[in-house]
Amino acid sequence: MYIKTGSRGNLAPFQNLMSFFLMKIPRTMASFVDSGKALGEQQKMMEEIANLRQEIQGMKALEADNKDLREQLGFRSISKRKLVLCEVVARGDASGWWQTITLNRGSEDGIRPGMAAVTTDGLIGRTTETARRTCDVLLITDPNCKVGCKLVRTGAYGIVRGGGVAAIGATKLEMFCAAAQPCSMDYISKEHPALQGDEVVTSGLGGTYPAGLLLGRVEGARIDPSKLFQQADIVPAAQLSSLKYVFVAVE
Amino acid sequence: MKWLVMAFVMICGVVLQTFIPAYAILGQAKLPLLLALVLYYALRHDSNCMLLAAFFAGFLQDVLSPIPLGYSSFCFCIVGLIAGRFRNVVMIESALPPLVFGGAAGAATTVAFYLLLAKEQLIACPLWYLLLKIIGTGVLGALCTPLIFLVAGKFDRMMGNVTMKEETVVLDIE
C-alpha cells in the first residue's frame, strides 16, 4: 500500500502539469478579460456558499428527525465538519472500470479514504485512495458506490446505488458524453410511498457519510420485483458531468 | 538511454490515458496506450526489455486506478510474452500487425481484468456492459496501437535506441 501511495504522490506533478494545460491556461486567459473578479475571492465565496448550503440541508434533516434521539446516538451534522476545497485534476481512473475523479488535495490536507465529497449542490461520492497531494473520489453514479439514505418527507430509509453509465436507451449525445443513469434507491418501506420530487438525504447510518447531505430527488418509484419494498430512481442533485471544485468533509 | 526513453513514454502514456475521456458508446473503455506500448516493446525489442516495460506499465496503471497492485503487471506480462512469440514472424514496418495485435490484446485484457476484479468483488457490471467494454477496448486498441508504434518507433530512432540499419538486417535474416 505504501508503494502505491508513494508512487501516486510522485505522479501528481505530471497530473497537475496536464491539468494546468487543460484548465489553468483558459482560466488565466479568462481572468485577464474579466479583471474585475479575482479567482481567489471567487474560491473563498464558493467555500462560504458550500458551507451555508450544507448548513441549510443539515437543518432540514434535523427538522424531520427527533433531535434528542439523534444527539443520543451521537450523529454529527455536516455543518460541524471542516470542508476542504479541492480542484478536480482528472476524470476517470487509468483503467476505465470505475467512475472516479482525482482531486488535487490528499493526506497532507487531512483527507483519508472513506470521507464524503460534496459540491454546493449535494453529495457526489466518497474518497477511496489517497496520496500526499491527490485523492480519488468514487462517484455516487458508480454501481459499486452504495449510500445509506432516507427520504426527507416521509423519513423512509433505503440504500442508494449508482446506476452506471447510460449506453442502452440513451440518446446519442448522452452516450458520447458518458451521461450517468439515475441512481436506484432500494429497500424503501411500502408504507411510505415515494413521490416524484421527494428529496433524498444521507441517513448517517453506516458511518461513512454524515447525516443530512442532499443526494438527489426522486424521479419515479415502483414496487421492486420481490414485492416487499419500493424502488425509486434518484437523479443526483450535483452536476457530476461538469465538476470543477469539490469539497471533502474532513473531521 | 533505452530505459530512460521507456520511462518517459510510459509516464506520458499513463497521464494521457487517464486524461483522455472515455465514451459510454464504447463501454467507458479507456484508450489502451500502456497496452500499446507493451506490444511495441514486445514486438520491437528483446524479451528483457518487454518484461520490464510490461511490469512498469502495469505498475503505473495500478497506481493511478483502484486496481490492486500487480494485477495489471500480470496481465501485461502475459500479453507481452504471447506477442513476443510473434516477434520474428511479423513485418516490422507494416501497420497491420500492430492493428491486429492491438485489437486482440485490448479485448483479451478486458476479459482478464474482469475475471480478476469480479473474483475479488471489486467491480459489478452487467454482461451487456462487459461486452460493450470488450468491443470498445478492442476497437480503441486497434486504432491506437499502430499510432503508438509509429510515434514510439520514431522516438526510439531519434534517441538512437533502434536504427534503420538494424531493422533492415533483421528483415534480411528473416
PDB file of all heavy atoms in Angstrom, chain A residues 4 7-8 15 18 22 89 91 93-96 98 144 165-166 175-176 178, chain B residues 17-19 23-25 28 30 59 62-67 110 122-124 133:
ATOM      1  N   LYS A   4       2.191   2.037  -3.441  1.00  0.00           N
ATOM      2  CA  LYS A   4       1.169   2.638  -4.293  1.00  0.00           C
ATOM      3  C   LYS A   4       0.945   4.103  -3.926  1.00  0.00           C
ATOM      4  O   LYS A   4       0.905   4.969  -4.791  1.00  0.00           O
ATOM      5  CB  LYS A   4      -0.129   1.842  -4.152  1.00  0.00           C
ATOM      6  CG  LYS A   4      -1.127   2.131  -5.242  1.00  0.00           C
ATOM      7  CD  LYS A   4      -2.248   1.121  -5.225  1.00  0.00           C
ATOM      8  CE  LYS A   4      -3.236   1.444  -6.327  1.00  0.00           C
ATOM      9  NZ  LYS A   4      -4.283   0.472  -6.478  1.00  0.00           N
ATOM     10  N   SER A   7       4.005   6.229  -4.905  1.00  0.00           N
ATOM     11  CA  SER A   7       4.099   6.415  -6.354  1.00  0.00           C
ATOM     12  C   SER A   7       3.052   7.383  -6.868  1.00  0.00           C
ATOM     13  O   SER A   7       3.303   8.169  -7.765  1.00  0.00           O
ATOM     14  CB  SER A   7       3.930   5.067  -7.066  1.00  0.00           C
ATOM     15  OG  SER A   7       4.873   4.156  -6.595  1.00  0.00           O
ATOM     16  N   ARG A   8       1.844   7.293  -6.282  1.00  0.00           N
ATOM     17  CA  ARG A   8       0.783   8.231  -6.674  1.00  0.00           C
ATOM     18  C   ARG A   8       1.222   9.659  -6.412  1.00  0.00           C
ATOM     19  O   ARG A   8       1.004  10.544  -7.216  1.00  0.00           O
ATOM     20  CB  ARG A   8      -0.495   7.951  -5.890  1.00  0.00           C
ATOM     21  CG  ARG A   8      -1.322   6.827  -6.440  1.00  0.00           C
ATOM     22  CD  ARG A   8      -2.498   6.603  -5.511  1.00  0.00           C
ATOM     23  NE  ARG A   8      -3.329   7.783  -5.470  1.00  0.00           N
ATOM     24  CZ  ARG A   8      -4.347   7.998  -6.300  1.00  0.00           C
ATOM     25  NH1 ARG A   8      -4.641   7.114  -7.206  1.00  0.00           N
ATOM     26  NH2 ARG A   8      -5.066   9.093  -6.219  1.00  0.00           N
ATOM     27  N   GLN A  15       0.281  14.880 -13.345  1.00  0.00           N
ATOM     28  CA  GLN A  15      -1.158  15.116 -13.453  1.00  0.00           C
ATOM     29  C   GLN A  15      -1.464  16.599 -13.333  1.00  0.00           C
ATOM     30  O   GLN A  15      -2.287  17.130 -14.073  1.00  0.00           O
ATOM     31  CB  GLN A  15      -1.890  14.361 -12.343  1.00  0.00           C
ATOM     32  CG  GLN A  15      -1.936  12.866 -12.594  1.00  0.00           C
ATOM     33  CD  GLN A  15      -2.806  12.170 -11.574  1.00  0.00           C
ATOM     34  OE1 GLN A  15      -2.526  12.217 -10.381  1.00  0.00           O
ATOM     35  NE2 GLN A  15      -3.835  11.507 -12.028  1.00  0.00           N
ATOM     36  N   MET A  18      -0.586  18.359 -16.570  1.00  0.00           N
ATOM     37  CA  MET A  18      -1.614  18.162 -17.588  1.00  0.00           C
ATOM     38  C   MET A  18      -2.848  18.986 -17.258  1.00  0.00           C
ATOM     39  O   MET A  18      -3.451  19.603 -18.120  1.00  0.00           O
ATOM     40  CB  MET A  18      -1.968  16.667 -17.661  1.00  0.00           C
ATOM     41  CG  MET A  18      -2.941  16.310 -18.759  1.00  0.00           C
ATOM     42  SD  MET A  18      -2.325  16.626 -20.403  1.00  0.00           S
ATOM     43  CE  MET A  18      -1.480  15.102 -20.732  1.00  0.00           C
ATOM     44  N   LEU A  22      -4.747  21.935 -19.402  1.00  0.00           N
ATOM     45  CA  LEU A  22      -6.145  21.770 -19.792  1.00  0.00           C
ATOM     46  C   LEU A  22      -7.090  22.758 -19.113  1.00  0.00           C
ATOM     47  O   LEU A  22      -8.129  23.085 -19.655  1.00  0.00           O
ATOM     48  CB  LEU A  22      -6.611  20.345 -19.497  1.00  0.00           C
ATOM     49  CG  LEU A  22      -5.989  19.257 -20.355  1.00  0.00           C
ATOM     50  CD1 LEU A  22      -6.441  17.886 -19.890  1.00  0.00           C
ATOM     51  CD2 LEU A  22      -6.349  19.439 -21.819  1.00  0.00           C
ATOM     52  N   VAL A  89      -8.613  17.330 -10.931  1.00  0.00           N
ATOM     53  CA  VAL A  89      -7.481  17.325 -11.871  1.00  0.00           C
ATOM     54  C   VAL A  89      -7.610  16.240 -12.935  1.00  0.00           C
ATOM     55  O   VAL A  89      -6.952  16.294 -13.971  1.00  0.00           O
ATOM     56  CB  VAL A  89      -6.106  17.183 -11.157  1.00  0.00           C
ATOM     57  CG1 VAL A  89      -5.793  18.411 -10.353  1.00  0.00           C
ATOM     58  CG2 VAL A  89      -6.040  15.932 -10.305  1.00  0.00           C
ATOM     59  N   ARG A  91     -10.576  13.125 -14.635  1.00  0.00           N
ATOM     60  CA  ARG A  91     -11.850  12.384 -14.585  1.00  0.00           C
ATOM     61  C   ARG A  91     -11.585  10.948 -14.977  1.00  0.00           C
ATOM     62  O   ARG A  91     -10.924  10.692 -15.976  1.00  0.00           O
ATOM     63  CB  ARG A  91     -12.856  12.984 -15.560  1.00  0.00           C
ATOM     64  CG  ARG A  91     -13.543  14.228 -15.085  1.00  0.00           C
ATOM     65  CD  ARG A  91     -14.753  14.502 -15.935  1.00  0.00           C
ATOM     66  NE  ARG A  91     -15.803  13.564 -15.627  1.00  0.00           N
ATOM     67  CZ  ARG A  91     -16.704  13.724 -14.661  1.00  0.00           C
ATOM     68  NH1 ARG A  91     -16.662  14.808 -13.923  1.00  0.00           N
ATOM     69  NH2 ARG A  91     -17.630  12.834 -14.426  1.00  0.00           N
ATOM     70  N   ASP A  93     -10.499   6.822 -13.824  1.00  0.00           N
ATOM     71  CA  ASP A  93      -9.210   6.225 -13.468  1.00  0.00           C
ATOM     72  C   ASP A  93      -8.509   5.760 -14.739  1.00  0.00           C
ATOM     73  O   ASP A  93      -9.082   5.784 -15.821  1.00  0.00           O
ATOM     74  CB  ASP A  93      -9.404   5.068 -12.492  1.00  0.00           C
ATOM     75  CG  ASP A  93     -10.141   3.915 -13.135  1.00  0.00           C
ATOM     76  OD1 ASP A  93     -11.236   4.143 -13.649  1.00  0.00           O
ATOM     77  OD2 ASP A  93      -9.606   2.801 -13.159  1.00  0.00           O
ATOM     78  N   ALA A  94      -7.269   5.297 -14.585  1.00  0.00           N
ATOM     79  CA  ALA A  94      -6.483   4.905 -15.766  1.00  0.00           C
ATOM     80  C   ALA A  94      -7.021   3.640 -16.415  1.00  0.00           C
ATOM     81  O   ALA A  94      -6.771   3.391 -17.584  1.00  0.00           O
ATOM     82  CB  ALA A  94      -5.024   4.698 -15.353  1.00  0.00           C
ATOM     83  N   SER A  95      -7.782   2.840 -15.675  1.00  0.00           N
ATOM     84  CA  SER A  95      -8.253   1.569 -16.225  1.00  0.00           C
ATOM     85  C   SER A  95      -9.632   1.662 -16.864  1.00  0.00           C
ATOM     86  O   SER A  95      -9.963   0.875 -17.743  1.00  0.00           O
ATOM     87  CB  SER A  95      -8.294   0.517 -15.117  1.00  0.00           C
ATOM     88  OG  SER A  95      -9.283   0.847 -14.167  1.00  0.00           O
ATOM     89  N   GLY A  96     -10.465   2.608 -16.430  1.00  0.00           N
ATOM     90  CA  GLY A  96     -11.797   2.768 -17.011  1.00  0.00           C
ATOM     91  C   GLY A  96     -12.863   1.859 -16.410  1.00  0.00           C
ATOM     92  O   GLY A  96     -13.967   1.788 -16.932  1.00  0.00           O
ATOM     93  N   TRP A  98     -13.951   2.117 -13.164  1.00  0.00           N
ATOM     94  CA  TRP A  98     -14.692   2.823 -12.119  1.00  0.00           C
ATOM     95  C   TRP A  98     -14.997   4.248 -12.564  1.00  0.00           C
ATOM     96  O   TRP A  98     -14.277   4.809 -13.391  1.00  0.00           O
ATOM     97  CB  TRP A  98     -13.890   2.877 -10.817  1.00  0.00           C
ATOM     98  CG  TRP A  98     -13.745   1.575 -10.133  1.00  0.00           C
ATOM     99  CD1 TRP A  98     -14.591   1.035  -9.206  1.00  0.00           C
ATOM    100  CD2 TRP A  98     -12.683   0.613 -10.295  1.00  0.00           C
ATOM    101  NE1 TRP A  98     -14.126  -0.187  -8.799  1.00  0.00           N
ATOM    102  CE2 TRP A  98     -12.969  -0.477  -9.439  1.00  0.00           C
ATOM    103  CE3 TRP A  98     -11.544   0.551 -11.077  1.00  0.00           C
ATOM    104  CZ2 TRP A  98     -12.153  -1.593  -9.342  1.00  0.00           C
ATOM    105  CZ3 TRP A  98     -10.731  -0.573 -10.981  1.00  0.00           C
ATOM    106  CH2 TRP A  98     -11.038  -1.624 -10.131  1.00  0.00           C
ATOM    107  N   ASN A 144     -20.705   0.489  -7.942  1.00  0.00           N
ATOM    108  CA  ASN A 144     -20.033  -0.029  -6.744  1.00  0.00           C
ATOM    109  C   ASN A 144     -20.221   0.878  -5.525  1.00  0.00           C
ATOM    110  O   ASN A 144     -19.787   0.533  -4.430  1.00  0.00           O
ATOM    111  CB  ASN A 144     -18.535  -0.191  -7.007  1.00  0.00           C
ATOM    112  CG  ASN A 144     -18.270  -1.155  -8.125  1.00  0.00           C
ATOM    113  OD1 ASN A 144     -18.566  -2.327  -8.024  1.00  0.00           O
ATOM    114  ND2 ASN A 144     -17.742  -0.647  -9.236  1.00  0.00           N
ATOM    115  N   VAL A 165     -23.465   3.917 -16.330  1.00  0.00           N
ATOM    116  CA  VAL A 165     -23.491   4.862 -17.440  1.00  0.00           C
ATOM    117  C   VAL A 165     -24.554   4.460 -18.444  1.00  0.00           C
ATOM    118  O   VAL A 165     -24.742   3.279 -18.726  1.00  0.00           O
ATOM    119  CB  VAL A 165     -22.106   4.905 -18.111  1.00  0.00           C
ATOM    120  CG1 VAL A 165     -22.131   5.725 -19.377  1.00  0.00           C
ATOM    121  CG2 VAL A 165     -21.092   5.468 -17.152  1.00  0.00           C
ATOM    122  N   ALA A 166     -25.254   5.457 -18.964  1.00  0.00           N
ATOM    123  CA  ALA A 166     -26.285   5.182 -19.962  1.00  0.00           C
ATOM    124  C   ALA A 166     -25.645   4.736 -21.261  1.00  0.00           C
ATOM    125  O   ALA A 166     -24.808   5.431 -21.806  1.00  0.00           O
ATOM    126  CB  ALA A 166     -27.113   6.437 -20.184  1.00  0.00           C
ATOM    127  N   MET A 175     -24.808   9.189 -24.887  1.00  0.00           N
ATOM    128  CA  MET A 175     -23.847   8.101 -24.998  1.00  0.00           C
ATOM    129  C   MET A 175     -22.429   8.620 -25.220  1.00  0.00           C
ATOM    130  O   MET A 175     -21.468   8.084 -24.697  1.00  0.00           O
ATOM    131  CB  MET A 175     -24.249   7.164 -26.133  1.00  0.00           C
ATOM    132  CG  MET A 175     -25.475   6.341 -25.769  1.00  0.00           C
ATOM    133  SD  MET A 175     -26.120   5.438 -27.133  1.00  0.00           S
ATOM    134  CE  MET A 175     -25.051   4.049 -27.186  1.00  0.00           C
ATOM    135  N   PHE A 176     -22.312   9.690 -26.003  1.00  0.00           N
ATOM    136  CA  PHE A 176     -20.976  10.232 -26.249  1.00  0.00           C
ATOM    137  C   PHE A 176     -20.455  11.015 -25.051  1.00  0.00           C
ATOM    138  O   PHE A 176     -19.261  11.087 -24.829  1.00  0.00           O
ATOM    139  CB  PHE A 176     -20.973  11.104 -27.506  1.00  0.00           C
ATOM    140  CG  PHE A 176     -20.815  10.292 -28.748  1.00  0.00           C
ATOM    141  CD1 PHE A 176     -21.893   9.995 -29.552  1.00  0.00           C
ATOM    142  CD2 PHE A 176     -19.576   9.770 -29.096  1.00  0.00           C
ATOM    143  CE1 PHE A 176     -21.752   9.218 -30.689  1.00  0.00           C
ATOM    144  CE2 PHE A 176     -19.425   8.976 -30.220  1.00  0.00           C
ATOM    145  CZ  PHE A 176     -20.513   8.705 -31.022  1.00  0.00           C
ATOM    146  N   ALA A 178     -21.041  10.236 -22.009  1.00  0.00           N
ATOM    147  CA  ALA A 178     -20.988   9.325 -20.865  1.00  0.00           C
ATOM    148  C   ALA A 178     -21.912   9.783 -19.754  1.00  0.00           C
ATOM    149  O   ALA A 178     -21.541   9.853 -18.599  1.00  0.00           O
ATOM    150  CB  ALA A 178     -19.553   9.204 -20.344  1.00  0.00           C
TER     151      ALA A 178
ATOM    152  N   GLN B  17      -3.552   8.515 -20.902  1.00  0.00           N
ATOM    153  CA  GLN B  17      -4.614   7.512 -20.762  1.00  0.00           C
ATOM    154  C   GLN B  17      -5.628   7.934 -19.688  1.00  0.00           C
ATOM    155  O   GLN B  17      -6.816   7.719 -19.832  1.00  0.00           O
ATOM    156  CB  GLN B  17      -3.996   6.157 -20.395  1.00  0.00           C
ATOM    157  CG  GLN B  17      -4.997   5.006 -20.399  1.00  0.00           C
ATOM    158  CD  GLN B  17      -4.331   3.650 -20.246  1.00  0.00           C
ATOM    159  OE1 GLN B  17      -3.406   3.333 -20.975  1.00  0.00           O
ATOM    160  NE2 GLN B  17      -4.803   2.856 -19.318  1.00  0.00           N
ATOM    161  N   THR B  18      -5.126   8.538 -18.623  1.00  0.00           N
ATOM    162  CA  THR B  18      -6.019   8.996 -17.553  1.00  0.00           C
ATOM    163  C   THR B  18      -6.844  10.193 -18.004  1.00  0.00           C
ATOM    164  O   THR B  18      -8.024  10.286 -17.683  1.00  0.00           O
ATOM    165  CB  THR B  18      -5.189   9.374 -16.300  1.00  0.00           C
ATOM    166  OG1 THR B  18      -4.313   8.288 -16.007  1.00  0.00           O
ATOM    167  CG2 THR B  18      -6.058   9.637 -15.100  1.00  0.00           C
ATOM    168  N   PHE B  19      -6.232  11.087 -18.766  1.00  0.00           N
ATOM    169  CA  PHE B  19      -6.910  12.337 -19.099  1.00  0.00           C
ATOM    170  C   PHE B  19      -7.852  12.224 -20.304  1.00  0.00           C
ATOM    171  O   PHE B  19      -8.843  12.938 -20.374  1.00  0.00           O
ATOM    172  CB  PHE B  19      -5.891  13.457 -19.351  1.00  0.00           C
ATOM    173  CG  PHE B  19      -5.507  14.164 -18.093  1.00  0.00           C
ATOM    174  CD1 PHE B  19      -4.459  13.707 -17.318  1.00  0.00           C
ATOM    175  CD2 PHE B  19      -6.205  15.266 -17.651  1.00  0.00           C
ATOM    176  CE1 PHE B  19      -4.104  14.327 -16.143  1.00  0.00           C
ATOM    177  CE2 PHE B  19      -5.868  15.900 -16.480  1.00  0.00           C
ATOM    178  CZ  PHE B  19      -4.809  15.433 -15.720  1.00  0.00           C
ATOM    179  N   TYR B  23     -15.863   7.018 -23.538  1.00  0.00           N
ATOM    180  CA  TYR B  23     -17.223   7.219 -24.040  1.00  0.00           C
ATOM    181  C   TYR B  23     -18.118   6.033 -23.713  1.00  0.00           C
ATOM    182  O   TYR B  23     -17.702   4.877 -23.805  1.00  0.00           O
ATOM    183  CB  TYR B  23     -17.197   7.465 -25.548  1.00  0.00           C
ATOM    184  CG  TYR B  23     -16.419   8.708 -25.900  1.00  0.00           C
ATOM    185  CD1 TYR B  23     -15.152   8.627 -26.451  1.00  0.00           C
ATOM    186  CD2 TYR B  23     -16.950   9.955 -25.624  1.00  0.00           C
ATOM    187  CE1 TYR B  23     -14.426   9.777 -26.734  1.00  0.00           C
ATOM    188  CE2 TYR B  23     -16.240  11.105 -25.900  1.00  0.00           C
ATOM    189  CZ  TYR B  23     -14.972  11.012 -26.457  1.00  0.00           C
ATOM    190  OH  TYR B  23     -14.266  12.144 -26.722  1.00  0.00           O
ATOM    191  N   ALA B  24     -19.364   6.355 -23.358  1.00  0.00           N
ATOM    192  CA  ALA B  24     -20.317   5.309 -22.973  1.00  0.00           C
ATOM    193  C   ALA B  24     -20.588   4.352 -24.123  1.00  0.00           C
ATOM    194  O   ALA B  24     -20.813   3.166 -23.905  1.00  0.00           O
ATOM    195  CB  ALA B  24     -21.619   5.950 -22.516  1.00  0.00           C
ATOM    196  N   ILE B  25     -20.558   4.866 -25.344  1.00  0.00           N
ATOM    197  CA  ILE B  25     -20.840   4.027 -26.507  1.00  0.00           C
ATOM    198  C   ILE B  25     -19.804   2.902 -26.656  1.00  0.00           C
ATOM    199  O   ILE B  25     -20.078   1.862 -27.260  1.00  0.00           O
ATOM    200  CB  ILE B  25     -20.916   4.902 -27.794  1.00  0.00           C
ATOM    201  CG1 ILE B  25     -21.673   4.165 -28.891  1.00  0.00           C
ATOM    202  CG2 ILE B  25     -19.559   5.357 -28.260  1.00  0.00           C
ATOM    203  CD1 ILE B  25     -22.054   5.019 -30.068  1.00  0.00           C
ATOM    204  N   GLN B  28     -17.294   2.773 -21.806  1.00  0.00           N
ATOM    205  CA  GLN B  28     -16.371   3.543 -20.944  1.00  0.00           C
ATOM    206  C   GLN B  28     -14.944   3.016 -21.027  1.00  0.00           C
ATOM    207  O   GLN B  28     -14.183   3.137 -20.061  1.00  0.00           O
ATOM    208  CB  GLN B  28     -16.838   3.521 -19.482  1.00  0.00           C
ATOM    209  CG  GLN B  28     -18.079   4.326 -19.209  1.00  0.00           C
ATOM    210  CD  GLN B  28     -17.821   5.808 -19.167  1.00  0.00           C
ATOM    211  OE1 GLN B  28     -17.979   6.495 -20.170  1.00  0.00           O
ATOM    212  NE2 GLN B  28     -17.424   6.332 -18.046  1.00  0.00           N
ATOM    213  N   LYS B  30     -11.148   2.865 -21.786  1.00  0.00           N
ATOM    214  CA  LYS B  30     -10.082   3.866 -21.903  1.00  0.00           C
ATOM    215  C   LYS B  30      -9.181   3.531 -23.093  1.00  0.00           C
ATOM    216  O   LYS B  30      -9.006   2.352 -23.429  1.00  0.00           O
ATOM    217  CB  LYS B  30      -9.247   3.882 -20.624  1.00  0.00           C
ATOM    218  CG  LYS B  30      -9.927   4.596 -19.469  1.00  0.00           C
ATOM    219  CD  LYS B  30      -9.690   6.069 -19.560  1.00  0.00           C
ATOM    220  CE  LYS B  30     -10.271   6.812 -18.375  1.00  0.00           C
ATOM    221  NZ  LYS B  30      -9.981   8.240 -18.436  1.00  0.00           N
ATOM    222  N   PHE B  59       2.414  -1.375 -13.380  1.00  0.00           N
ATOM    223  CA  PHE B  59       2.593  -0.675 -12.106  1.00  0.00           C
ATOM    224  C   PHE B  59       1.961   0.719 -12.176  1.00  0.00           C
ATOM    225  O   PHE B  59       1.212   1.120 -11.279  1.00  0.00           O
ATOM    226  CB  PHE B  59       4.088  -0.568 -11.795  1.00  0.00           C
ATOM    227  CG  PHE B  59       4.407   0.232 -10.569  1.00  0.00           C
ATOM    228  CD1 PHE B  59       4.223  -0.315  -9.308  1.00  0.00           C
ATOM    229  CD2 PHE B  59       4.884   1.522 -10.663  1.00  0.00           C
ATOM    230  CE1 PHE B  59       4.502   0.418  -8.170  1.00  0.00           C
ATOM    231  CE2 PHE B  59       5.168   2.269  -9.534  1.00  0.00           C
ATOM    232  CZ  PHE B  59       4.980   1.709  -8.287  1.00  0.00           C
ATOM    233  N   ASP B  62      -1.881   0.537 -12.232  1.00  0.00           N
ATOM    234  CA  ASP B  62      -2.429   0.190 -10.916  1.00  0.00           C
ATOM    235  C   ASP B  62      -2.332   1.358  -9.942  1.00  0.00           C
ATOM    236  O   ASP B  62      -3.213   1.554  -9.114  1.00  0.00           O
ATOM    237  CB  ASP B  62      -1.698  -1.021 -10.331  1.00  0.00           C
ATOM    238  CG  ASP B  62      -2.042  -2.297 -11.073  1.00  0.00           C
ATOM    239  OD1 ASP B  62      -3.005  -2.271 -11.855  1.00  0.00           O
ATOM    240  OD2 ASP B  62      -1.335  -3.297 -10.893  1.00  0.00           O
ATOM    241  N   VAL B  63      -1.238   2.123 -10.071  1.00  0.00           N
ATOM    242  CA  VAL B  63      -1.039   3.263  -9.167  1.00  0.00           C
ATOM    243  C   VAL B  63      -2.117   4.328  -9.389  1.00  0.00           C
ATOM    244  O   VAL B  63      -2.633   4.907  -8.444  1.00  0.00           O
ATOM    245  CB  VAL B  63       0.377   3.854  -9.369  1.00  0.00           C
ATOM    246  CG1 VAL B  63       0.477   5.269  -8.837  1.00  0.00           C
ATOM    247  CG2 VAL B  63       1.412   2.982  -8.660  1.00  0.00           C
ATOM    248  N   LEU B  64      -2.485   4.550 -10.651  1.00  0.00           N
ATOM    249  CA  LEU B  64      -3.466   5.594 -10.950  1.00  0.00           C
ATOM    250  C   LEU B  64      -4.881   5.050 -11.122  1.00  0.00           C
ATOM    251  O   LEU B  64      -5.698   5.636 -11.842  1.00  0.00           O
ATOM    252  CB  LEU B  64      -3.044   6.384 -12.187  1.00  0.00           C
ATOM    253  CG  LEU B  64      -1.829   7.296 -11.995  1.00  0.00           C
ATOM    254  CD1 LEU B  64      -1.499   8.037 -13.262  1.00  0.00           C
ATOM    255  CD2 LEU B  64      -2.060   8.295 -10.866  1.00  0.00           C
ATOM    256  N   SER B  65      -5.172   3.947 -10.504  1.00  0.00           N
ATOM    257  CA  SER B  65      -6.540   3.403 -10.527  1.00  0.00           C
ATOM    258  C   SER B  65      -6.753   2.582  -9.257  1.00  0.00           C
ATOM    259  O   SER B  65      -5.791   2.235  -8.572  1.00  0.00           O
ATOM    260  CB  SER B  65      -6.735   2.523 -11.769  1.00  0.00           C
ATOM    261  OG  SER B  65      -6.012   1.326 -11.624  1.00  0.00           O
ATOM    262  N   PRO B  66      -7.998   2.240  -8.958  1.00  0.00           N
ATOM    263  CA  PRO B  66      -8.231   1.433  -7.732  1.00  0.00           C
ATOM    264  C   PRO B  66      -7.865  -0.052  -7.879  1.00  0.00           C
ATOM    265  O   PRO B  66      -8.113  -0.827  -6.968  1.00  0.00           O
ATOM    266  CB  PRO B  66      -9.744   1.588  -7.504  1.00  0.00           C
ATOM    267  CG  PRO B  66     -10.178   2.725  -8.332  1.00  0.00           C
ATOM    268  CD  PRO B  66      -9.261   2.745  -9.505  1.00  0.00           C
ATOM    269  N   ILE B  67      -7.285  -0.439  -8.998  1.00  0.00           N
ATOM    270  CA  ILE B  67      -6.890  -1.846  -9.186  1.00  0.00           C
ATOM    271  C   ILE B  67      -5.780  -2.197  -8.188  1.00  0.00           C
ATOM    272  O   ILE B  67      -4.829  -1.436  -8.037  1.00  0.00           O
ATOM    273  CB  ILE B  67      -6.378  -2.079 -10.635  1.00  0.00           C
ATOM    274  CG1 ILE B  67      -7.484  -1.794 -11.645  1.00  0.00           C
ATOM    275  CG2 ILE B  67      -5.882  -3.509 -10.823  1.00  0.00           C
ATOM    276  CD1 ILE B  67      -7.054  -1.929 -13.091  1.00  0.00           C
ATOM    277  N   THR B 110      -9.263  -6.954 -21.321  1.00  0.00           N
ATOM    278  CA  THR B 110     -10.525  -6.551 -20.670  1.00  0.00           C
ATOM    279  C   THR B 110     -11.181  -7.761 -20.008  1.00  0.00           C
ATOM    280  O   THR B 110     -11.662  -7.679 -18.876  1.00  0.00           O
ATOM    281  CB  THR B 110     -11.483  -5.921 -21.698  1.00  0.00           C
ATOM    282  OG1 THR B 110     -10.804  -4.861 -22.363  1.00  0.00           O
ATOM    283  CG2 THR B 110     -12.736  -5.365 -21.047  1.00  0.00           C
ATOM    284  N   LEU B 122     -14.572  -6.487  -6.665  1.00  0.00           N
ATOM    285  CA  LEU B 122     -14.215  -5.067  -6.736  1.00  0.00           C
ATOM    286  C   LEU B 122     -15.062  -4.321  -7.750  1.00  0.00           C
ATOM    287  O   LEU B 122     -15.167  -3.096  -7.713  1.00  0.00           O
ATOM    288  CB  LEU B 122     -12.730  -4.909  -7.089  1.00  0.00           C
ATOM    289  CG  LEU B 122     -11.743  -5.343  -6.009  1.00  0.00           C
ATOM    290  CD1 LEU B 122     -10.334  -5.412  -6.554  1.00  0.00           C
ATOM    291  CD2 LEU B 122     -11.791  -4.384  -4.831  1.00  0.00           C
ATOM    292  N   ILE B 123     -15.624  -5.042  -8.705  1.00  0.00           N
ATOM    293  CA  ILE B 123     -16.496  -4.410  -9.703  1.00  0.00           C
ATOM    294  C   ILE B 123     -17.785  -5.209  -9.840  1.00  0.00           C
ATOM    295  O   ILE B 123     -17.813  -6.404  -9.539  1.00  0.00           O
ATOM    296  CB  ILE B 123     -15.814  -4.278 -11.085  1.00  0.00           C
ATOM    297  CG1 ILE B 123     -15.292  -5.639 -11.562  1.00  0.00           C
ATOM    298  CG2 ILE B 123     -14.724  -3.246 -11.082  1.00  0.00           C
ATOM    299  CD1 ILE B 123     -14.954  -5.675 -13.028  1.00  0.00           C
ATOM    300  N   ALA B 124     -18.814  -4.491 -10.279  1.00  0.00           N
ATOM    301  CA  ALA B 124     -20.076  -5.156 -10.578  1.00  0.00           C
ATOM    302  C   ALA B 124     -20.631  -4.516 -11.839  1.00  0.00           C
ATOM    303  O   ALA B 124     -20.890  -3.314 -11.850  1.00  0.00           O
ATOM    304  CB  ALA B 124     -21.050  -4.969  -9.426  1.00  0.00           C
ATOM    305  N   LYS B 133     -17.685  -3.085 -23.389  1.00  0.00           N
ATOM    306  CA  LYS B 133     -16.330  -2.689 -22.984  1.00  0.00           C
ATOM    307  C   LYS B 133     -15.275  -3.503 -23.751  1.00  0.00           C
ATOM    308  O   LYS B 133     -14.247  -2.953 -24.160  1.00  0.00           O
ATOM    309  CB  LYS B 133     -16.164  -2.914 -21.478  1.00  0.00           C
ATOM    310  CG  LYS B 133     -15.111  -2.042 -20.845  1.00  0.00           C
ATOM    311  CD  LYS B 133     -15.123  -2.237 -19.356  1.00  0.00           C
ATOM    312  CE  LYS B 133     -14.267  -1.216 -18.674  1.00  0.00           C
ATOM    313  NZ  LYS B 133     -14.757   0.139 -18.729  1.00  0.00           N
TER     314      LYS B 133
END
